[in-house]
Amino acid sequence: MENDVSLEPVPGYTLEEEPYYLPLADEVELFEAAYQQRLPVLLKGPTGCGKTRFVEFMAHRLYRKNGQSTIRQPLQTVACHEDLSATDLVGRYLLKGEETVWQDGPLTQAVKEGAICYLDEIVEARKDSTVLIHSLTDHRRILPIEKLGAIMEAHPDFLLVISYNPGYQNVLKDLKPSTRQRFVAIEFDYPHQEEEARIIEHESGVDSVRASQLALLGQKVRNLKTHGFDEGVSTRLLVYAGQLMVQGVAERRACETAVSMAVSDDNDVQRTVAELADAIFPPS
Amino acid sequence: MSSVDDTIASTIFQLKQVSQDTADRFAALAVELPKRLSTDDFEEYAGICVSIAESGWRSFVPVNLLIDIARFEDVDLLRVARFGNSLSNYSFEPASRYLETVRSLARSGRLDRLPAMEAAGNRLAKSNPGATTLIAQFFEVSRLILQDDTDQGTPWFKLVEATSGETRADVAKLLQLSLAAVDSAHPVNWPQVLRFQQLSTSSALTYLEKAPVLSRKLEPKLFDRLEELLLLHVSRLESLIDIALSLELPATELAVVLELGDKIGESDVLVAFLECASELPLAREAVLRAWLQHGLRANAGNARAMKAYVQLDSLDSVRTLDALKGQVNFHDHRRTFDLLAESLSARPIEVVGFEDEESSLRSLSGLPETNGRQVRLPASVNLFEDRDDNFGFYKVSLFHQIGYVEFGCFPEIGGIRRTLQEFEDSRLAERLFVIVEDARIDWQLSVRYPGLAPQLARQKSRAAEQRHPPGSELAQYLEFMVLAGLDALPEEKMLPAVANRLCSLVSSMKTPDALVSDSLEVASQCYELLAAWSGEQSGHRHYQAGNQLAMPDELPPPIDYRGELDVEQVESVLRLEAVLEELQDEVTDDAVQDGPQISMPISEQDRIDVGELKKGDVDAGVAVLMSELDAQLLDEDPGMLEELLDLGNKQQLLEFLSGIGARSRDAEKHRYDEWDYEIGDYRPAWCTLYEYADLDEDLGYADRTMQEHQDLARRIRQQLNKVKPEMLRKVKGVIEGEDLDLERSIAYMVDRKAGLTPEERIYVQRQRKDRDVSTLFLLDMSASTDDIIHDPDAPAIEPPDVDDDEYLVQYFQQRREYEKSARRIIDLEKQSALLMADALESLGDAYSVCGFSGYGRDQVDYFLCKDFDESLNARTRGRIGGIKPCRSTRMGPPIRHATQRLVETGSRIKALIIISDGYPQDHDYGTDRNSRDYGLMDTMKALGEAKQQGVLTYCLTVDPSGHDYLRAMCPDSQYMVIQDIDQLPEELSRVYRSLTG
């Protein structure tokens, strides 16, 4: 069927420029190796530790760096949620006037064009959508489109990447072995203090002293994992705090806004984080 | 011969009968006197002399005096003679004393005092006829008082006059005290005594008795102020003076107390205030003034409440004072400290406060300390005026304690201890190390935490200000090192050379990359330096390490925010922890390898009871254990360790070791406020509740109950099975339901349009799926639950009519048998709890079974039979079976404790079911033992607090008169009086269903 309502790719998604990513271990090489063999990849790690950024970085490296590919959108990212159904991934009929027209979903688009499809937080999605990817992740590399009564073979460049956060998802939402054992897993964690400081410095533009202070704060707050909040403060939040500082917000206030309030609703935890920030940053 | 001569002759003759000497004296006087007096007057005078002389035993004494007095020309002789004569009617003594006084006044030319004295004497004589000694004493004292060259005689006479109407004992006491006062070096302010007398005689007497001592103790200004205060509160004068005498306060603080006391109207309240004054932060007058004003305003018209307020026995009082003086309490920030400790150290370190009773309003209750697993901080800090600074003290203390972990000291503690032990004087070496390490940690802290640095500097400089130079030279060197660590060294040139070198060694740690190994190195260098110095001191050119170096007796005192580090203790605790972890890992690994038969987890309650190790403190126990392990297992018999480390023994060892760790949990201590309805406020931390987890077990009882009541158990289980899950959950994509799922509905319509078969599951339904319930059964274990429940159907055992010994013996035997087999209230409580527990196990709800009793507010016992997360196993059932009647029923604290436990579960539905047999009572539950109101009001308040915290409460009582007080305590729907006691198990399950269903 003719696809005449496809959306224009957002410039950021075309990945013309290389996203910043600081490799922490051998994840780049691993991912490249997996890609060469078209092995589906599972990225494990806590929120905000750089999984999405890593995929973007890899997509750029694999598709754009040396002008390897002319594909419009080398990376299709889908943030999964509990109401995300197979239809949302594959595509659906839309009403247009008195007619119905077919709209490809992001997965179908990637399969068709040979992009990387990145399903973020896959366990959040409904079960029917997880099962859908099974046939794409083994030797068959096909996508059945039930509503069209068709089966689509994947483009040779197509790769499926999913992310999964074992930390806070409850037992009910654990990834089923039948799904999980179709992926090679690359594990992520928050960077070490020095590396995180570099990342914060780069991403937020804050000076190196404050960047390492933010990294120290991050490290200390992460020691509190068991208390009231599911994960430690993410690198992303620390970057936000740095960005607020660059905008002239006082250090302690920036940490309060971007870190204390953001990590937890528990007053005592917020207070503790604020006390930590007070200890780390000199009074302005 | 004139009539005058006749008179002289006859008088001399008559006096001669009494005393030749007196007659001679009169003869001598008679030469002169008639010239001064008219004939009539002289004759009267002579007559009086004779009259007095004839009045009785030793009557010549007053006559002699009267003759003496006649020599003074300015004396109104006849008036004196007449007065003396009237006194001589009693006995010679009053007259003599009077006349002596007159003579003394005449000599000193102050005869104008005479009328006042006579008036008072007259009045005294009239009010106390026949009290000769008293009257005599009066004149005696008058003389002494008038001797002093002041005109205070007048007020004293007025005082006597005013007192003369009182009992003879009072007058006697007044005279006695006056005499003592005259004798003492301090002059008495008689007008002041008179002011007291005008209010009450007894207060005047008390004042007179105690004022001299008080005036010696107090500065005159303060004494005057206190007198003014006392005049306002004469009813409690004695107590007030006694307290004032016992107060050991500097003058400035006492002035504050008196000024504040001025504002208090009620005498009882003032007494209470003065009694507690030394506990108040008297250096902060403005704070106290505001505190008192608040109290007076809030408790106007309720003296009892105000009394509790000034005694700091009301919550309002404590809070107001805390808030006013910026006090920071550990309790209020406990969780923040816990979290901070964990975030800083990346390991669970418990932060605890020193016990409440050790806390003081005037100083720190204890120095911070850590043993590697636990940090202890003072219960409250009010060293600074400002709240933030007080909190800063806590923060700096905590960061410093955790700094031992964060900056690498504790992870290396084993090696450190070994190194330190190699020194000849290892205690000195340890002390040096701790001084250097403390300094290093603070410097590291200020580098890593620039935000903390200002506060740290503040604490350092305060600590430095408070230090005093110690006595011995060696101690002084250590003190210099401490000061160097506080950045508070005196100028370099002022220091001795050794101190200079020591300090520069300490200061060398002031680099951001100084490690704990550097501290050890510096400590060792310091040791060498001191050893060399010590060698020089004793004249040896070549010192031998440690030979002459001895630990000084007096060590530099610890710095309050750092506390004292005990290397040995930390090392043992951490080593034990490591052993435990290792064993835990090994046991788990082995269990996994060997299959399911040994993979049973060792639950808390299955642990071996380490009987003899239960006493003594944990740390000592740990130290003993470590040395035992070292000595016995490793050195003497290496084979034994291997034997122990076989799987079975390994488990035992683990249990044994964990048991020691768990020991401190045997009787957890909690403090709770109590509501005093009379003062309309909480009495803070009024009751101490001990939670015991090691109850005597009676498993047989539990088994018997289940056997005997199989039928009932089944019925209860059936009833509880009817309980429905109460949590609603939205289920999407069902065929029928209350709402349409919009997204699915659209897809449905689109599919229809596209000619596809639409998915029909487009509805949303709310389904009850979960239960989230925690229930706590609180059983009354008071002595009265030992009462027998009489079975109305059982044949009555009557005493026999016949007076036959054999029958009587039989009767008592029967009776004993009956009592032995009869059911008691406590049995019913236990059986109900057991049956409920059994039924709840199958329902899967979380529940806890506890009992309470106690005696007095300092000993409320709370027995934990089954905790929420425990399973119903042999131990827990045994503990429920082992519940025994104990003592009183103080209900407030157990209800508060149970509420807290329930809140901690975080369940959506929290239910507290209390089973008791009577109204709350305890020996000090309220001031009036016979009044039930205090206990009822407190219990009511505790139930109200539970409700506020989302805990549903229900009171079940087997007391037939329960309606009377339960109606007052809780709404109708929240209590039940069980008429037929056998219904308790079934009623209980009904209540449970209604509360949680």
Side-chain angles (χ1 to χ4, degrees), chain B residues 375-410:
Chain B
V375 173
R376 270 154 79 85
L377 296 178
S380 59
V381 175
N382 50 36
L383 300 168
F384 298 90
E385 306 265 325
D386 189 39
R387 210 180 153 71
D388 287 347
D389 285 335
N390 287 325
F391 185 77
F393 178 92
Y394 269 125
K395 210 170 153 183
V396 167
S397 287
L398 184 64
F399 270 70
H400 185 88
Q401 300 301 321
I402 302 293
Y404 293 122
V405 181
E406 203 181 354
F407 299 108
C409 175
F410 284 0

mmCIF file of all heavy atoms in Angstrom, chain B residues 375-410:
data_model
loop_
_atom_site.group_PDB
_atom_site.id
_atom_site.type_symbol
_atom_site.label_atom_id
_atom_site.label_comp_id
_atom_site.label_asym_id
_atom_site.label_seq_id
_atom_site.Cartn_x
_atom_site.Cartn_y
_atom_site.Cartn_z
ATOM 1 N N VAL B 375 27.773 4.675 64.201
ATOM 2 C CA VAL B 375 28.263 5.977 64.647
ATOM 3 C C VAL B 375 27.318 6.445 65.730
ATOM 4 O O VAL B 375 26.112 6.354 65.587
ATOM 5 C CB VAL B 375 28.273 6.998 63.487
ATOM 6 C CG1 VAL B 375 28.610 8.379 64.003
ATOM 7 C CG2 VAL B 375 29.257 6.589 62.413
ATOM 8 N N ARG B 376 27.881 6.886 66.830
ATOM 9 C CA ARG B 376 27.025 7.408 67.893
ATOM 10 C C ARG B 376 27.232 8.907 67.998
ATOM 11 O O ARG B 376 28.356 9.394 68.029
ATOM 12 C CB ARG B 376 27.366 6.765 69.235
ATOM 13 C CG ARG B 376 26.556 5.511 69.494
ATOM 14 C CD ARG B 376 27.294 4.592 70.414
ATOM 15 N NE ARG B 376 27.195 4.983 71.798
ATOM 16 C CZ ARG B 376 26.183 4.651 72.596
ATOM 17 N NH1 ARG B 376 25.177 3.961 72.112
ATOM 18 N NH2 ARG B 376 26.165 5.010 73.842
ATOM 19 N N LEU B 377 26.114 9.642 68.031
ATOM 20 C CA LEU B 377 26.179 11.095 68.122
ATOM 21 C C LEU B 377 25.427 11.546 69.369
ATOM 22 O O LEU B 377 24.586 10.816 69.879
ATOM 23 C CB LEU B 377 25.529 11.716 66.871
ATOM 24 C CG LEU B 377 26.212 11.426 65.536
ATOM 25 C CD1 LEU B 377 25.427 12.056 64.402
ATOM 26 C CD2 LEU B 377 27.635 11.948 65.531
ATOM 27 N N PRO B 378 25.724 12.763 69.847
ATOM 28 C CA PRO B 378 25.023 13.243 71.036
ATOM 29 C C PRO B 378 23.517 13.326 70.787
ATOM 30 O O PRO B 378 23.087 13.525 69.650
ATOM 31 C CB PRO B 378 25.599 14.641 71.259
ATOM 32 C CG PRO B 378 26.831 14.708 70.445
ATOM 33 C CD PRO B 378 26.707 13.714 69.345
ATOM 34 N N ALA B 379 22.742 13.180 71.868
ATOM 35 C CA ALA B 379 21.286 13.207 71.725
ATOM 36 C C ALA B 379 20.793 14.591 71.323
ATOM 37 O O ALA B 379 19.781 14.734 70.663
ATOM 38 C CB ALA B 379 20.634 12.778 73.026
ATOM 39 N N SER B 380 21.529 15.625 71.733
ATOM 40 C CA SER B 380 21.132 16.975 71.329
ATOM 41 C C SER B 380 22.359 17.865 71.364
ATOM 42 O O SER B 380 23.303 17.593 72.092
ATOM 43 C CB SER B 380 20.058 17.524 72.260
ATOM 44 O OG SER B 380 20.556 17.553 73.563
ATOM 45 N N VAL B 381 22.287 18.917 70.570
ATOM 46 C CA VAL B 381 23.405 19.869 70.546
ATOM 47 C C VAL B 381 22.845 21.277 70.676
ATOM 48 O O VAL B 381 21.931 21.658 69.940
ATOM 49 C CB VAL B 381 24.203 19.764 69.227
ATOM 50 C CG1 VAL B 381 25.272 20.842 69.182
ATOM 51 C CG2 VAL B 381 24.846 18.406 69.102
ATOM 52 N N ASN B 382 23.340 22.019 71.635
ATOM 53 C CA ASN B 382 22.920 23.415 71.760
ATOM 54 C C ASN B 382 24.108 24.278 72.158
ATOM 55 O O ASN B 382 24.000 25.171 72.972
ATOM 56 C CB ASN B 382 21.790 23.558 72.771
ATOM 57 C CG ASN B 382 22.122 22.872 74.068
ATOM 58 O OD1 ASN B 382 23.268 22.873 74.505
ATOM 59 N ND2 ASN B 382 21.143 22.284 74.708
ATOM 60 N N LEU B 383 25.225 23.960 71.566
ATOM 61 C CA LEU B 383 26.441 24.693 71.925
ATOM 62 C C LEU B 383 26.417 26.108 71.369
ATOM 63 O O LEU B 383 27.087 26.987 71.863
ATOM 64 C CB LEU B 383 27.663 23.956 71.369
ATOM 65 C CG LEU B 383 27.850 22.533 71.885
ATOM 66 C CD1 LEU B 383 28.886 21.807 71.053
ATOM 67 C CD2 LEU B 383 28.273 22.569 73.335
ATOM 68 N N PHE B 384 25.643 26.288 70.322
ATOM 69 C CA PHE B 384 25.605 27.594 69.670
ATOM 70 C C PHE B 384 24.224 28.216 69.820
ATOM 71 O O PHE B 384 23.241 27.513 70.013
ATOM 72 C CB PHE B 384 25.909 27.444 68.173
ATOM 73 C CG PHE B 384 27.288 26.900 67.905
ATOM 74 C CD1 PHE B 384 27.480 25.537 67.806
ATOM 75 C CD2 PHE B 384 28.370 27.735 67.776
ATOM 76 C CE1 PHE B 384 28.734 25.021 67.563
ATOM 77 C CE2 PHE B 384 29.627 27.232 67.543
ATOM 78 C CZ PHE B 384 29.816 25.870 67.431
ATOM 79 N N GLU B 385 24.197 29.525 69.673
ATOM 80 C CA GLU B 385 22.913 30.217 69.733
ATOM 81 C C GLU B 385 22.077 29.848 68.516
ATOM 82 O O GLU B 385 20.864 29.782 68.579
ATOM 83 C CB GLU B 385 23.135 31.739 69.687
ATOM 84 C CG GLU B 385 24.094 32.272 70.727
ATOM 85 C CD GLU B 385 23.365 32.767 71.947
ATOM 86 O OE1 GLU B 385 22.274 33.309 71.792
ATOM 87 O OE2 GLU B 385 23.894 32.593 73.064
ATOM 88 N N ASP B 386 22.778 29.641 67.439
ATOM 89 C CA ASP B 386 22.089 29.499 66.168
ATOM 90 C C ASP B 386 21.859 28.030 65.843
ATOM 91 O O ASP B 386 22.746 27.193 66.005
ATOM 92 C CB ASP B 386 22.952 30.148 65.083
ATOM 93 C CG ASP B 386 22.207 30.222 63.783
ATOM 94 O OD1 ASP B 386 20.996 30.495 63.846
ATOM 95 O OD2 ASP B 386 22.811 29.971 62.731
ATOM 96 N N ARG B 387 20.654 27.775 65.395
ATOM 97 C CA ARG B 387 20.264 26.410 65.068
ATOM 98 C C ARG B 387 21.169 25.805 63.986
ATOM 99 O O ARG B 387 21.563 24.644 64.069
ATOM 100 C CB ARG B 387 18.832 26.479 64.543
ATOM 101 C CG ARG B 387 18.042 25.280 64.816
ATOM 102 C CD ARG B 387 16.651 25.444 64.250
ATOM 103 N NE ARG B 387 16.176 24.118 63.959
ATOM 104 C CZ ARG B 387 15.841 23.247 64.874
ATOM 105 N NH1 ARG B 387 15.892 23.580 66.142
ATOM 106 N NH2 ARG B 387 15.458 22.035 64.560
ATOM 107 N N ASP B 388 21.471 26.618 62.995
ATOM 108 C CA ASP B 388 22.274 26.108 61.887
ATOM 109 C C ASP B 388 23.655 25.669 62.366
ATOM 110 O O ASP B 388 24.202 24.682 61.895
ATOM 111 C CB ASP B 388 22.433 27.182 60.804
ATOM 112 C CG ASP B 388 21.140 27.377 60.056
ATOM 113 O OD1 ASP B 388 20.248 26.518 60.227
ATOM 114 O OD2 ASP B 388 21.004 28.372 59.335
ATOM 115 N N ASP B 389 24.203 26.434 63.312
ATOM 116 C CA ASP B 389 25.516 26.071 63.829
ATOM 117 C C ASP B 389 25.446 24.774 64.621
ATOM 118 O O ASP B 389 26.351 23.947 64.571
ATOM 119 C CB ASP B 389 26.070 27.192 64.714
ATOM 120 C CG ASP B 389 26.542 28.353 63.877
ATOM 121 O OD1 ASP B 389 26.883 28.120 62.710
ATOM 122 O OD2 ASP B 389 26.556 29.487 64.376
ATOM 123 N N ASN B 390 24.358 24.618 65.364
ATOM 124 C CA ASN B 390 24.206 23.374 66.121
ATOM 125 C C ASN B 390 24.065 22.186 65.176
ATOM 126 O O ASN B 390 24.623 21.124 65.415
ATOM 127 C CB ASN B 390 22.993 23.466 67.056
ATOM 128 C CG ASN B 390 23.263 24.372 68.236
ATOM 129 O OD1 ASN B 390 24.384 24.413 68.738
ATOM 130 N ND2 ASN B 390 22.268 25.115 68.656
ATOM 131 N N PHE B 391 23.304 22.415 64.118
ATOM 132 C CA PHE B 391 23.187 21.339 63.136
ATOM 133 C C PHE B 391 24.545 21.094 62.481
ATOM 134 O O PHE B 391 24.935 19.962 62.213
ATOM 135 C CB PHE B 391 22.126 21.691 62.085
ATOM 136 C CG PHE B 391 21.865 20.574 61.124
ATOM 137 C CD1 PHE B 391 21.088 19.495 61.504
ATOM 138 C CD2 PHE B 391 22.427 20.568 59.851
ATOM 139 C CE1 PHE B 391 20.866 18.443 60.638
ATOM 140 C CE2 PHE B 391 22.209 19.519 58.980
ATOM 141 C CZ PHE B 391 21.428 18.456 59.380
ATOM 142 N N GLY B 392 25.254 22.196 62.272
ATOM 143 C CA GLY B 392 26.595 22.097 61.689
ATOM 144 C C GLY B 392 27.505 21.230 62.535
ATOM 145 O O GLY B 392 28.323 20.477 61.991
ATOM 146 N N PHE B 393 27.348 21.313 63.830
ATOM 147 C CA PHE B 393 28.155 20.471 64.714
ATOM 148 C C PHE B 393 27.898 18.999 64.397
ATOM 149 O O PHE B 393 28.811 18.197 64.254
ATOM 150 C CB PHE B 393 27.795 20.762 66.173
ATOM 151 C CG PHE B 393 28.552 19.900 67.152
ATOM 152 C CD1 PHE B 393 29.750 20.328 67.697
ATOM 153 C CD2 PHE B 393 28.073 18.648 67.512
ATOM 154 C CE1 PHE B 393 30.452 19.532 68.579
ATOM 155 C CE2 PHE B 393 28.772 17.840 68.388
ATOM 156 C CZ PHE B 393 29.966 18.282 68.931
ATOM 157 N N TYR B 394 26.616 18.663 64.276
ATOM 158 C CA TYR B 394 26.259 17.280 63.934
ATOM 159 C C TYR B 394 26.872 16.872 62.605
ATOM 160 O O TYR B 394 27.409 15.784 62.448
ATOM 161 C CB TYR B 394 24.737 17.149 63.827
ATOM 162 C CG TYR B 394 24.058 16.752 65.105
ATOM 163 C CD1 TYR B 394 23.046 17.518 65.643
ATOM 164 C CD2 TYR B 394 24.416 15.576 65.765
ATOM 165 C CE1 TYR B 394 22.401 17.149 66.811
ATOM 166 C CE2 TYR B 394 23.776 15.203 66.931
ATOM 167 C CZ TYR B 394 22.773 15.994 67.452
ATOM 168 O OH TYR B 394 22.156 15.606 68.588
ATOM 169 N N LYS B 395 26.747 17.788 61.660
ATOM 170 C CA LYS B 395 27.182 17.451 60.311
ATOM 171 C C LYS B 395 28.694 17.228 60.289
ATOM 172 O O LYS B 395 29.181 16.218 59.754
ATOM 173 C CB LYS B 395 26.789 18.598 59.374
ATOM 174 C CG LYS B 395 26.512 18.133 57.967
ATOM 175 C CD LYS B 395 25.887 19.240 57.149
ATOM 176 C CE LYS B 395 26.219 19.053 55.695
ATOM 177 N NZ LYS B 395 25.702 20.118 54.855
ATOM 178 N N VAL B 396 29.408 18.140 60.908
ATOM 179 C CA VAL B 396 30.858 18.017 60.930
ATOM 180 C C VAL B 396 31.262 16.741 61.674
ATOM 181 O O VAL B 396 32.135 15.988 61.222
ATOM 182 C CB VAL B 396 31.484 19.276 61.581
ATOM 183 C CG1 VAL B 396 32.933 19.043 61.903
ATOM 184 C CG2 VAL B 396 31.332 20.465 60.661
ATOM 185 N N SER B 397 30.585 16.468 62.784
ATOM 186 C CA SER B 397 30.883 15.239 63.542
ATOM 187 C C SER B 397 30.677 14.010 62.675
ATOM 188 O O SER B 397 31.521 13.111 62.637
ATOM 189 C CB SER B 397 29.931 15.096 64.734
ATOM 190 O OG SER B 397 30.257 16.006 65.701
ATOM 191 N N LEU B 398 29.537 13.996 62.009
ATOM 192 C CA LEU B 398 29.205 12.826 61.199
ATOM 193 C C LEU B 398 30.198 12.662 60.052
ATOM 194 O O LEU B 398 30.700 11.562 59.799
ATOM 195 C CB LEU B 398 27.778 12.968 60.664
ATOM 196 C CG LEU B 398 27.248 11.792 59.875
ATOM 197 C CD1 LEU B 398 27.156 10.570 60.783
ATOM 198 C CD2 LEU B 398 25.876 12.080 59.305
ATOM 199 N N PHE B 399 30.500 13.756 59.375
ATOM 200 C CA PHE B 399 31.450 13.675 58.267
ATOM 201 C C PHE B 399 32.802 13.195 58.775
ATOM 202 O O PHE B 399 33.488 12.428 58.108
ATOM 203 C CB PHE B 399 31.597 15.051 57.575
ATOM 204 C CG PHE B 399 30.619 15.276 56.448
ATOM 205 C CD1 PHE B 399 29.281 15.455 56.712
ATOM 206 C CD2 PHE B 399 31.028 15.295 55.123
ATOM 207 C CE1 PHE B 399 28.370 15.657 55.688
ATOM 208 C CE2 PHE B 399 30.127 15.496 54.087
ATOM 209 C CZ PHE B 399 28.793 15.680 54.372
ATOM 210 N N HIS B 400 33.160 13.655 59.959
ATOM 211 C CA HIS B 400 34.464 13.238 60.492
ATOM 212 C C HIS B 400 34.460 11.737 60.796
ATOM 213 O O HIS B 400 35.399 11.025 60.436
ATOM 214 C CB HIS B 400 34.800 14.031 61.750
ATOM 215 C CG HIS B 400 36.173 13.747 62.271
ATOM 216 N ND1 HIS B 400 37.285 14.429 61.844
ATOM 217 C CD2 HIS B 400 36.621 12.817 63.141
ATOM 218 C CE1 HIS B 400 38.354 13.947 62.434
ATOM 219 N NE2 HIS B 400 37.978 12.964 63.242
ATOM 220 N N GLN B 401 33.395 11.277 61.446
ATOM 221 C CA GLN B 401 33.334 9.850 61.792
ATOM 222 C C GLN B 401 33.347 8.991 60.528
ATOM 223 O O GLN B 401 34.026 7.985 60.455
ATOM 224 C CB GLN B 401 32.078 9.531 62.615
ATOM 225 C CG GLN B 401 31.974 10.284 63.940
ATOM 226 C CD GLN B 401 33.143 10.022 64.849
ATOM 227 O OE1 GLN B 401 33.641 8.906 64.947
ATOM 228 N NE2 GLN B 401 33.636 11.056 65.504
ATOM 229 N N ILE B 402 32.555 9.415 59.548
ATOM 230 C CA ILE B 402 32.498 8.643 58.313
ATOM 231 C C ILE B 402 33.808 8.804 57.546
ATOM 232 O O ILE B 402 34.211 7.948 56.757
ATOM 233 C CB ILE B 402 31.310 9.098 57.444
ATOM 234 C CG1 ILE B 402 30.001 8.944 58.214
ATOM 235 C CG2 ILE B 402 31.233 8.318 56.147
ATOM 236 C CD1 ILE B 402 29.592 7.550 58.517
ATOM 237 N N GLY B 403 34.486 9.926 57.811
ATOM 238 C CA GLY B 403 35.772 10.180 57.161
ATOM 239 C C GLY B 403 36.765 9.052 57.401
ATOM 240 O O GLY B 403 37.611 8.766 56.545
ATOM 241 N N TYR B 404 36.651 8.387 58.541
ATOM 242 C CA TYR B 404 37.547 7.257 58.811
ATOM 243 C C TYR B 404 37.374 6.172 57.744
ATOM 244 O O TYR B 404 38.305 5.462 57.410
ATOM 245 C CB TYR B 404 37.267 6.650 60.182
ATOM 246 C CG TYR B 404 37.602 7.549 61.354
ATOM 247 C CD1 TYR B 404 36.624 7.900 62.281
ATOM 248 C CD2 TYR B 404 38.888 8.030 61.542
ATOM 249 C CE1 TYR B 404 36.918 8.715 63.360
ATOM 250 C CE2 TYR B 404 39.186 8.850 62.622
ATOM 251 C CZ TYR B 404 38.201 9.182 63.534
ATOM 252 O OH TYR B 404 38.490 9.988 64.592
ATOM 253 N N VAL B 405 36.130 6.040 57.284
ATOM 254 C CA VAL B 405 35.875 5.058 56.231
ATOM 255 C C VAL B 405 36.259 5.659 54.879
ATOM 256 O O VAL B 405 36.983 5.057 54.088
ATOM 257 C CB VAL B 405 34.371 4.677 56.197
ATOM 258 C CG1 VAL B 405 34.113 3.647 55.125
ATOM 259 C CG2 VAL B 405 33.905 4.186 57.556
ATOM 260 N N GLU B 406 35.774 6.875 54.662
ATOM 261 C CA GLU B 406 35.900 7.491 53.350
ATOM 262 C C GLU B 406 37.359 7.742 52.968
ATOM 263 O O GLU B 406 37.722 7.613 51.805
ATOM 264 C CB GLU B 406 35.122 8.812 53.349
ATOM 265 C CG GLU B 406 34.710 9.245 51.972
ATOM 266 C CD GLU B 406 33.958 10.565 52.000
ATOM 267 O OE1 GLU B 406 33.657 11.086 53.087
ATOM 268 O OE2 GLU B 406 33.687 11.084 50.905
ATOM 269 N N PHE B 407 38.162 8.089 53.946
ATOM 270 C CA PHE B 407 39.533 8.429 53.608
ATOM 271 C C PHE B 407 40.512 7.308 53.956
ATOM 272 O O PHE B 407 41.684 7.541 54.221
ATOM 273 C CB PHE B 407 39.933 9.751 54.248
ATOM 274 C CG PHE B 407 39.077 10.883 53.771
ATOM 275 C CD1 PHE B 407 38.135 11.476 54.594
ATOM 276 C CD2 PHE B 407 39.162 11.328 52.457
ATOM 277 C CE1 PHE B 407 37.318 12.498 54.143
ATOM 278 C CE2 PHE B 407 38.349 12.351 51.988
ATOM 279 C CZ PHE B 407 37.429 12.934 52.831
ATOM 280 N N GLY B 408 39.967 6.097 54.033
ATOM 281 C CA GLY B 408 40.837 4.934 54.002
ATOM 282 C C GLY B 408 41.382 4.440 55.321
ATOM 283 O O GLY B 408 42.216 3.537 55.330
ATOM 284 N N CYS B 409 40.933 5.001 56.426
ATOM 285 C CA CYS B 409 41.499 4.548 57.700
ATOM 286 C C CYS B 409 40.941 3.178 58.083
ATOM 287 O O CYS B 409 41.697 2.246 58.355
ATOM 288 C CB CYS B 409 41.202 5.574 58.787
ATOM 289 S SG CYS B 409 41.729 5.070 60.410
ATOM 290 N N PHE B 410 39.608 3.055 58.099
ATOM 291 C CA PHE B 410 39.018 1.789 58.536
ATOM 292 C C PHE B 410 39.359 0.627 57.608
ATOM 293 O O PHE B 410 39.594 -0.484 58.094
ATOM 294 C CB PHE B 410 37.508 1.928 58.722
ATOM 295 C CG PHE B 410 37.130 2.649 59.981
ATOM 296 C CD1 PHE B 410 38.117 3.113 60.848
ATOM 297 C CD2 PHE B 410 35.801 2.868 60.318
ATOM 298 C CE1 PHE B 410 37.791 3.788 62.016
ATOM 299 C CE2 PHE B 410 35.464 3.539 61.481
ATOM 300 C CZ PHE B 410 36.451 4.006 62.323
#
